[in-house]
Amino acid sequence: MFKKALSSPYIHNPPFSTRGMMFRVILALLPAAAAYAWLFGWGVVVNMLLATGVALLCEAIMLALRGRPLQPAITDGSAILTALLLAFALPPLAPWWLTTIGVAFAIVVAKHLYGGLGFNPFNPAIIGYVVLLVSFPRELTLWLLPAQLAEHTLDPAATLGYVFGATLPSGLTIDALTAATPLDAMKTQLGLGHTTSEIMANHPVFGLVGGKGWIWIDLLLLAGGVWLIYRRVINWHIPVATLGSLFAISSLFFVLDPQHSPSPLFHLFSGAAILGAFFIATDPVTAATSNLGRLWYGAGIGVLIYVIRSWGGFPDGVAFAVLLMNMAAPTIDHYTKPRVYGHDGSGDA
Amino acid sequence: MRLWSFHGGIEVPGHKEISTTRPVEPAPLPKRLILPLSQHLGAPAEPLVAEGEEVLKGQMIASPAGFVSAPLHASSSGKVVAIGEHPVPHPSGLSAPCITIETDGEERWVEREQRDFRQLEPAEIRETVRQAGIVGLGGAGFPAFIKLNPGRTIKTLILNGAECEPYITSDDMLMRERPEQILRGLLIIRRAVQARRCIIAVEDNKPEAERSLRQALGSMKEDADDIEIVTIPARYPAGGEKQLIRVVTGQEVPSGGLPVQVGVVCHNVSTAVAVYRAVELGEPLISRYVTITGGAVAEPRNLEVLIGTPVEELLQLCGTDPGAVQEVIMGGPMMGISLASLGVPLVKTGNCLLAVGRGEIEHPEVMPCIRCGNCAEACPMSLLPQQMYWHARAKDFDRLREYDLFDCIECGCCAYVCPSNIPLVHYYRFAKSEIRARQEQKRKADIARERHELREQRLAREKAERAARHARKRPGPSDESKKAAIQAALERARAGKQGAAQDDV
């Protein structure tokens, strides 16, 4: 007689769709991406476009190989978001193969081999990044100097020349363009026995709080993240717990030994702390799901970031911290089940 | 009065104003009344009449089969023309046994006994309610007399006038138009359950209903003490029994338990009216207020409808364009059932007919679950719908029970807020019925195994007994008798040989 719905409820009105969620996150990321490009040049733009293209291509190929329809998956925005997040973590001047390998691994292995959107236990962007970090550590530390410090900048053509042809305009070497990241510099110099105040004063990459110029990117990421919370795309629990625990543990060590421990603000505004807290750790697929669980999950990430930065082998710890907590998420979920109506507090029926 | 809140819930556009503009009128008498034998939870009623028999309005035509069951009455006078399968409002769209009456238009009543409830003992009230075929009119259809027999001390009697589902306004109109009957029913129920404190809970989006109830309460001459009319915040599903009890008393009904365990009994306002009419007017449950609304209905309104009236006629009465109908739902859009055919009758629990216009309800594309947790935030039972969904997909029924699947009230909040449009409740219904089927299967298998084991035991016992009998008849060979037997055989053989030798000669 007429098309019959499956069963109740027949009406449906989420605040936004899954697609809408993805594109809101992308939107919140764009101002910071623009600042990133403004600060570090055209390479950032090339990275992001290349990563997006590769991600969509891999997504399409994998859908075809898995015998799934192209729609709605290809336009759900998740592949683009993965690409942008990964590009955000790459050096501003990365050779094309680096970006391609990272994104392809993220989409093909970390996402689709686990079953596609919603089924992946680990954040694909982080997996892509970590694969690059452990495979090509040198390429991932070649960070451009921010525009204020750089003596030379590359125009779009020269950028493309380096990304796709590995050639630089005559007279320029990659060493002249790049420097250690603030976190890297801090770690190395602390290892050489310098105090934090000496390091901050003597090295040009440091600004008032963290790396020079980085503060703007972080502030825009912060603004984007707060907007996402305000629009209820993400919950406050994970970002607040992540940054809160990072702040707390770094404060503790800062108070105990300020000469050899960077300040809490340095930790918050360096590396991928803000990006990770608002845009990566909040990926609902791989995070803990209850609000209490999210607090534990975020707190774990914050502490692990500090531990890896301070005593680990890598300058930044966000990627590994998130991956480790991805692994812990099911366990956290298990122990943070809310009390069901009509059940007593002991947790079981 | 202090109110509590329940976890989750959703704000849903009410669409209620469209059906409350006209006063309620009785629907015209239909030519045929189709009365399903099962309009309640429990065993279907058993027919008391035969085809061709004349029946009176209000005459019992089917009697309850067992304790959890309800009788059925002729909604009007006429002739029984059929007893047999007819399509009924059921999610499966299947047919079920019905008694069909051709009405004679005379509306001849059975004899009705008018009584004052104050002269009745609680047990008499309960029996009257039972004989009147009254079931919970809020939607569940549980035989009402059972909830009048709490067997425990009742602290609070709650009348549920929340009516939290969108579109439905039948309770609203009843509260506006018949507040005295509601209060009278409340007093009767109070007497039956021996409660003191009474609360009528109304959502704050029904100010007119509230006003009218307050007026009626104000003009009540006796027994008005300890009755409170409470407005509660409109938030779906505040009218769910468990949620309402939580909001009004702060208590939670134990999982798998009943409200009486926390000293509460909860009845719908429509049920209260039915109780009043049964006890004081001697009328069984043969009609109810029904909201006929939706985008395909030209004149949405409420009608007082005889139970058994075909849905099709009711829709026509309100100017429904059959071509514009996408779907007809009995009940609300959150928990109602989609009708497979419009020939089905209106049943006792049918508070609303929602004729959805084309395009009014979308069936958006289903995307993968991204574990966003919106569902868990919306769940009024504090369940984890998302985890239940994954386990239902995996048919991991043991885990589902760990996640308290059977506490799910199927309110639909989770599916309403799901950004991936996953029909979550559908999965839970599937899992529940699957688990029940397996339990039933297991129960049967257990019985079969037990029987088999008993049979084996019996056979073994019989065999042993037979053996014992044999042994008694022919005592087993002892050592001496064995020797004697051997001796005898030897002698026989010797004799035989001799005999043979003699023969040879």
Side-chain angles (χ1 to χ4, degrees), chain B residues 241-480:
Chain B
E241 189 172 70
K242 290 179 171 169
Q243 282 65 40
L244 186 63
I245 289 171
R246 162 96 194 141
V247 168
V248 172
T249 70
Q251 288 177 296
E252 292 186 3
V253 181
S255 170
L258 294 169
V260 292
Q261 287 172 257
V262 290
V264 176
V265 164
C266 194
H267 283 277
N268 187 270
V269 287
S270 301
T271 313
V273 169
V275 166
Y276 155 74
R277 298 180 78 90
V279 172
E280 298 222 294
L281 307 181
E283 291 178 11
L285 177 61
I286 54 166
S287 69
R288 66 160 303 146
Y289 274 23
V290 181
T291 309
I292 294 131
T293 185
V297 179
E299 293 169 29
R301 63 179 309 175
N302 278 270
L303 291 172
E304 190 174 12
V305 177
L306 293 179
I307 307 297
T309 306
V311 162
E312 209 160 14
E313 291 182 30
L314 294 170
L315 293 175
Q316 273 166 11
L317 278 172
C318 300
T320 309
D321 172 10
V325 176
Q326 179 186 330
E327 190 148 13
V328 176
I329 294 161
M330 185 173 283
M334 295 299 294
M335 293 184 77
I337 54 173
S338 172
L339 298 181
S341 124
L342 296 187
V344 301
L346 187 100
V347 291
K348 292 175 182 178
T349 51
N351 49 6
C352 178
L353 292 173
L354 177 59
V356 180
R358 292 207 182 278
E360 201 180 354
I361 287 180
E362 286 168 21
H363 298 282
E365 198 166 36
V366 176
M367 305 271 286
C369 169
I370 54 164
R371 300 178 194 258
C372 66
N374 284 1
C375 49
E377 271 172 50
C379 179
M381 295 301 287
S382 302
L383 295 166
L384 293 169
Q386 181 245 114
Q387 277 85 340
M388 293 188 344
Y389 159 72
W390 289 98
H391 293 310
R393 271 177 63 123
K395 300 194 181 172
D396 189 347
F397 296 124
D398 291 337
R399 291 300 293 276
L400 273 168
R401 306 192 75 169
E402 270 174 47
Y403 280 93
D404 302 310
L405 170 71
F406 282 92
D407 283 300
C408 168
I409 58 169
E410 301 180 18
C411 64
C413 289
C414 52
Y416 186 83
V417 299
C418 176
S420 290
N421 311 319
I422 299 168
L424 291 163
V425 185
H426 193 74
Y427 282 92
Y428 310 146
R429 286 199 188 100
F430 160 76
K432 282 182 186 175
S433 64
E434 196 76 354
I435 290 173
R436 287 199 189 105
R438 282 178 192 212
Q439 275 173 340
E440 182 59 16
Q441 220 170 17
K442 186 174 174 299
R443 197 182 61 83
K444 282 184 180 155
D446 283 347
I447 292 172
R449 201 190 55 237
E450 217 168 274
R451 275 194 189 151
H452 176 72
E453 279 167 5
L454 283 175
R455 180 172 179 273
E456 294 281 289
Q457 281 172 12
R458 179 173 54 83
L459 290 179
R461 199 179 57 236
E462 283 174 3
K463 200 175 167 190
E465 281 172 4
R466 243 192 336 268
R469 265 202 309 277
H470 276 289
R472 268 199 303 278
K473 260 188 212 159
R474 210 164 29 127
S478 68
D479 276 2
E480 272 177 38

Side-chain angles (χ1 to χ4, degrees), chain A residues 226-318:
Chain A
V226 169
W227 180 75
L228 288 178
I229 293 173
Y230 171 71
R231 297 298 302 269
R232 302 182 62 91
V233 177
I234 59 172
N235 288 76
W236 59 267
H237 304 79
I238 291 175
V240 167
T242 302
L243 298 177
S245 72
L246 177 59
F247 186 85
I249 189 169
S250 53
S251 298
L252 179 73
F253 283 94
F254 183 66
V255 168
L256 290 177
D257 185 6
Q259 283 312 305
H260 297 97
S261 310
S263 75
L265 282 180
F266 176 86
H267 273 289
L268 291 189
F269 287 96
S270 295
I274 303 241
L275 178 73
F278 284 96
F279 291 88
I280 297 172
T282 51
D283 166 25
V285 175
T286 56
T289 55
S290 69
N291 285 339
L292 180 63
R294 285 167 177 156
L295 288 175
W296 282 110
Y297 176 81
I301 292 175
V303 169
L304 284 172
I305 291 175
Y306 189 84
V307 168
I308 297 168
R309 278 182 182 178
S310 303
W311 302 291
F314 292 94
D316 202 354
V318 173

Side-chain angles (χ1 to χ4, degrees), chain A residues 16-80:
Chain A
F16 32 75
S17 64
T18 292
R19 184 178 284 128
M21 226 158 145
M22 298 289 176
F23 281 104
R24 278 175 175 82
V25 178
I26 291 170
L27 191 66
L29 204 53
L30 285 183
Y36 190 25
W38 173 75
L39 204 64
F40 289 99
W42 289 99
V44 173
V45 179
V46 175
N47 275 352
M48 290 187 172
L49 291 178
L50 178 64
T52 304
V54 173
L56 288 174
L57 186 68
C58 290
E59 180 89 6
I61 291 171
M62 286 313 287
L63 286 169
L65 285 177
R66 293 176 58 215
R68 303 294 167 98
L70 216 53
Q71 282 292 10
I74 196 80
T75 55
D76 66 16
S78 62
I80 301 174

Side-chain angles (χ1 to χ4, degrees), chain A residues 95-342:
Chain A
W96 66 272
W97 51 266
L98 193 75
T99 312
T100 305
I101 291 173
V103 173
F105 199 88
I107 299 290
V108 173
V109 178
K111 184 179 183 182
H112 278 286
L113 291 192
Y114 280 100
L117 178 65
F119 293 84
N120 49 302
F122 303 109
N123 187 307
I126 291 286
I127 291 280
Y129 174 75
V130 165
V131 163
L132 295 179
L133 188 63
V134 297
S135 312
F136 311 102
R138 199 185 88 84
E139 280 77 3
L140 281 204
T141 50
L142 287 177
W143 218 276
L144 283 184
L145 280 164
Q148 300 117 296
L149 299 175
E151 288 168 27
H152 310 280
T153 50
L154 296 181
D155 59 22
T159 305
L160 288 173
Y162 182 79
V163 170
F164 290 101
T167 54
L168 286 170
S170 57
L172 268 182
T173 62
I174 192 70
D175 291 340
L177 292 168
T178 58
T181 63
L183 273 175
D184 205 356
M186 179 64 81
K187 194 174 187 97
T188 316
Q189 296 297 320
L190 280 174
L192 293 173
H194 299 287
T195 66
T196 49
S197 45
E198 282 171 14
I199 300 167
M200 295 284 279
N202 295 342
H203 282 265
V205 293
F206 294 105
L208 208 56
V209 181
K212 209 170 247 170
W214 285 93
I215 185 90
W216 296 109
I217 300 174
D218 277 328
L219 285 177
L220 285 169
L221 284 171
L222 189 65
V226 169
W227 180 75
L228 288 178
I229 293 173
Y230 171 71
R231 297 298 302 269
R232 302 182 62 91
V233 177
I234 59 172
N235 288 76
W236 59 267
H237 304 79
I238 291 175
V240 167
T242 302
L243 298 177
S245 72
L246 177 59
F247 186 85
I249 189 169
S250 53
S251 298
L252 179 73
F253 283 94
F254 183 66
V255 168
L256 290 177
D257 185 6
Q259 283 312 305
H260 297 97
S261 310
S263 75
L265 282 180
F266 176 86
H267 273 289
L268 291 189
F269 287 96
S270 295
I274 303 241
L275 178 73
F278 284 96
F279 291 88
I280 297 172
T282 51
D283 166 25
V285 175
T286 56
T289 55
S290 69
N291 285 339
L292 180 63
R294 285 167 177 156
L295 288 175
W296 282 110
Y297 176 81
I301 292 175
V303 169
L304 284 172
I305 291 175
Y306 189 84
V307 168
I308 297 168
R309 278 182 182 178
S310 303
W311 302 291
F314 292 94
D316 202 354
V318 173
F320 290 107
V322 171
L323 275 193
L324 287 168
M325 291 313 287
N326 281 171
M327 285 181 215
T331 310
I332 294 174
D333 278 344
H334 181 79
Y335 285 105
T336 54
K337 280 204 281 189
R339 185 188 66 84
V340 175
Y341 177 109

